[in-house]
Amino acid sequence: LLSAMSPTLYKLAVALVFVLAYINIRRALPSSGETAAERVSADLVDRPHLFTSQTLRNPSSNSSAEVNVTLDVRPGVRLCGCGICALVHFHVSHPNNNSLNLSTTVGISDSSSGTVRFEFIEPPVNFTDGWYDATLLGVTGVYASPIATNPNSGLQPDYVHVGTSGRYRVHLSPTHNSTEQAMGVADVQVGLPAESCPLVLENVEGVEKYPLIEVRVPPVGSSKEEDGFDYDDGSQPRWVVSNSSTQCDYNLYFDPEEKNFPLCFHRGIKDYCDDGKKSKQPATPNSSSATANNNATTATKRTTRAIVLGDSHADKLVEVLFQHHPHLEKENGWMATKYHGVGIYLNKAPHYGFNAYVAGQMKPEFVRGKMLENLKTGRYRSLQMEHKFTTWFFQSGHWDLRDATLGEYERHLAELFREFAKFRDKFRNSVVPFRIVWLGFPAFSYKREMWGGMEMRTNVKLALADRAVVKIARKYGVEVLPFFNLTYPLYRQSCDSHHYVCQHGN
């Protein structure tokens, strides 16, 4: 074709080839002044993703309307690292795709969220019952969940919920060799990697070694759960991967070793602290218990006054909160009742003989914890009458799940929520109605080794417990703060042995 051209056309064609080659080379290389955040932003927003996706049509419908489902059409992607390899397939969908049966969403389906399901077509050898930390990293959000290799584990956590549309890099790192270990039945210190060791694409460098997928989420409010909740993850506080236009409050990286994925905090639009203005709160129809939080919010305008009940994690939060906002304690009358959340039912055995308990020579001995005791005896009622709190924050989990099974914790939690709902309902028509907010519990750093083989805390248990919290909270009209979701992607970066908010500012 070139030989048939005139000399002028030939020269123009050659020049065009060189120009196109130059443009592609420039796009592939970062500019001299380009920052790491800008390179990540360009990678996640501007560049084509690695996996071909298609928009499917509903075969059961005569309509030509498209179904909002994006599906990776490749049979799987081979990922290697830590001396193991796996063939993994990603199913990307959202709860409106039931007729296509592309993926099964187990547990709570957020009404406006996408679901990325992990299918291990060829699990690693000697890791067929293994577990991973799965994290999706994008400029619109960071979402994470424990993932099981074995679909028959009985727990079925094979998905990550995503609250915002966008392109996400997939970070998959092995943690546990078996479900027994993941649930704290075996010594969780055995077999855990000393540091994050992701499975990545072979022969690829930089952030491009992590698979890139696209998730599309329905608009906020386009669908609702049958129980009346509109749980939109897009409105929740979360981390986002920094882009060139974002000024981050913290010097944080998801991967601090390689300085990959700088993170910014996205506050979200949900307000957990009543300022006297009317705001939308979760509520279950036909339930006076569930609407009580709304009653507190729409009551007469008054200064926010809160009480915080919990364990050392809650205590650290309040310590830093008062340090930066002293008026809350001095002028608004905020109060922190320390260590009321060290077990909904407290295990007294370690207090009687710690070494004997850790050595497995003593059985657990559970007694009713301070929150249940004070709810039943009326002490909290007296505190409410005296201080007229507008919000009660409460949490308990780490001490509970250190010593108990997931099923036991769920039963204890249901009892605690039921008692708090009854307590709140007694004041719903009074001059001092109040809201109740579950502070949540953070992820576990695995750095606190004092419990040895008696340590039953794992992030798999905590993640499953956190999902159970949402179910129970809906039943009793309790708001939930996503403490676990905020800390799990960064659980290896605790500011001390196991806390994530410390007074020295980390």
Side-chain angles (χ1 to χ4, degrees):
L1 181 63
L2 289 174
S3 64
M5 291 181 177
S6 66
T8 302
L9 287 176
Y10 178 83
K11 291 178 182 179
L12 288 174
V14 171
L16 180 61
V17 169
F18 276 103
V19 169
L20 291 174
Y22 174 79
I23 291 173
N24 277 283
I25 291 172
R26 290 294 299 168
R27 288 184 64 186
L29 295 174
S31 63
S32 58
E34 195 175 28
T35 65
E38 289 170 332
R39 289 196 295 273
V40 172
S41 173
D43 170 73
L44 291 170
V45 177
D46 301 325
R47 301 183 62 177
H49 53 293
L50 295 176
F51 301 106
T52 305
S53 62
Q54 62 183 357
T55 302
L56 303 180
R57 297 179 185 275
N58 190 338
S60 63
S61 173
N62 294 326
S63 170
S64 61
E66 293 181 340
V67 179
N68 291 324
V69 177
T70 307
L71 174 66
D72 186 313
V73 298
R74 294 177 60 166
V77 55
R78 180 178 170 83
L79 301 175
C80 294
C82 318
I84 61 176
C85 291
L87 189 63
V88 185
H89 180 70
F90 307 109
H91 295 276
V92 185
S93 59
H94 74 75
N96 287 344
N97 72 324
N98 296 333
S99 61
L100 294 179
N101 295 320
L102 296 178
S103 67
T104 303
T105 302
V106 183
I108 302 301
S109 297
D110 293 329
S111 60
S112 296
S113 70
T115 301
V116 178
R117 178 171 167 259
F118 291 70
E119 178 186 359
F120 287 82
I121 301 171
E122 293 180 11
V125 178
N126 300 324
F127 212 73
T128 55
D129 191 29
W131 288 75
Y132 299 83
D133 291 327
T135 308
L136 305 179
L137 297 135
V139 295
T140 54
V142 175
Y143 302 95
S145 176
I147 296 295
T149 305
N150 181 10
N152 301 316
S153 64
L155 301 171
Q156 298 178 304
D158 59 353
Y159 64 91
V160 178
H161 274 317
V162 179
T164 48
S165 298
R167 291 176 177 176
Y168 295 87
R169 288 286 174 185
V170 181
H171 188 282
L172 196 63
S173 181
T175 54
H176 302 281
N177 292 324
S178 69
T179 297
E180 282 191 344
Q181 190 185 82
M183 293 302 292
V185 178
D187 186 348
V188 300
Q189 301 300 328
V190 178
L192 285 174
E195 58 186 25
S196 179
C197 187
L199 303 188
V200 297
L201 296 167
E202 296 180 288
N203 303 317
V204 182
E205 298 297 327
V207 295
E208 292 188 358
K209 65 186 178 183
Y210 303 105
L212 183 61
I213 61 174
E214 183 175 6
V215 182
R216 291 185 295 148
V217 176
V220 175
S222 63
S223 59
K224 292 181 181 292
E225 292 291 334
E226 291 182 358
D227 60 4
F229 280 83
D230 186 10
Y231 270 78
D232 165 44
D233 276 358
S235 72
Q236 297 283 354
R238 64 188 183 277
W239 299 109
V240 297
V241 176
S242 171
N243 59 39
S244 57
S245 63
T246 306
Q247 181 66 41
C248 295
D249 296 322
Y250 309 100
N251 186 26
L252 280 175
Y253 291 86
F254 174 77
D255 181 355
E257 297 296 325
E258 297 187 15
K259 300 294 185 183
N260 278 336
F261 303 111
L263 299 180
C264 292
F265 181 67
H266 178 79
R267 185 175 181 270
I269 60 174
K270 186 171 178 58
D271 186 6
Y272 291 93
C273 183
D274 176 25
D275 60 358
K277 299 177 181 178
K278 185 176 180 180
S279 60
K280 184 179 70 174
Q281 304 300 335
T284 303
N286 305 319
S287 168
S288 59
S289 295
T291 57
N293 276 357
N294 270 344
N295 294 342
T297 306
T298 57
T300 55
K301 294 183 179 181
R302 49 200 167 96
T303 302
T304 300
R305 178 173 295 193
I307 183 170
V308 182
L309 315 171
D311 56 19
S312 61
H313 299 283
D315 188 58
K316 294 281 186 183
L317 286 172
V318 172
E319 187 178 68
V320 174
L321 186 68
F322 287 173
Q323 176 188 353
H324 291 280
H325 304 281
H327 70 279
L328 291 178
E329 182 180 22
K330 296 176 181 178
E331 300 172 17
N332 291 24
W334 280 50
M335 176 187 295
T337 304
K338 192 173 183 180
Y339 298 138
H340 277 211
V342 291
I344 301 171
Y345 278 85
L346 177 65
N347 180 13
K348 298 288 289 185
H351 301 270
Y352 299 144
F354 178 80
N355 292 333
Y357 178 75
V358 170
Q361 299 170 358
M362 295 178 63
K363 292 182 178 180
E365 181 184 331
F366 290 98
V367 298
R368 202 159 60 189
K370 288 184 178 180
M371 287 193 292
L372 275 178
E373 187 69 20
N374 290 330
L375 284 166
K376 292 180 181 292
T377 60
R379 179 168 182 240
Y380 286 166
R381 184 179 184 278
S382 299
L383 277 174
Q384 178 62 19
M385 294 294 293
E386 179 182 356
H387 296 280
K388 299 177 176 57
F389 297 114
T390 62
T391 306
W392 282 68
F393 293 101
F394 68 112
Q395 59 91 220
S396 182
H398 269 246
W399 287 48
D400 305 81
L401 290 165
R402 183 198 67 202
D403 299 315
T405 66
L406 181 63
E408 289 171 326
Y409 177 70
E410 289 183 23
R411 290 191 292 273
H412 294 166
L413 190 72
E415 181 181 358
L416 180 66
F417 277 34
R418 182 170 59 250
E419 291 299 321
F420 257 110
K422 287 164 57 178
F423 168 51
R424 176 199 55 198
D425 290 351
K426 290 178 181 178
F427 287 87
R428 69 177 183 269
N429 294 321
S430 71
V431 294
V432 285
F434 57 87
R435 301 162 64 191
I436 50 178
V437 179
W438 176 254
L439 268 178
F441 43 74
F444 185 46
S445 66
Y446 296 103
K447 297 176 185 176
R448 199 173 195 194
E449 302 175 358
M450 59 184 289
W451 294 95
M454 297 303 292
E455 173 64 83
M456 294 174 64
R457 257 180 304 192
T458 71
N459 281 327
V460 174
K461 278 182 70 177
L462 288 164
L464 294 172
D466 191 59
R467 293 179 187 179
V469 166
V470 176
K471 275 186 177 180
I472 298 170
R474 290 179 180 183
K475 181 178 180 181
Y476 294 104
V478 179
E479 295 174 65
V480 177
L481 191 145
F483 199 2
F484 181 83
N485 292 340
L486 288 171
T487 53
Y488 179 55
L490 300 170
Y491 73 83
R492 299 176 190 272
Q493 301 187 50
S494 58
C495 52
D496 59 18
S497 63
H498 60 297
H499 298 107
Y500 297 89
V501 182
C502 295
Q503 196 168 15
H504 50 74
N506 288 349

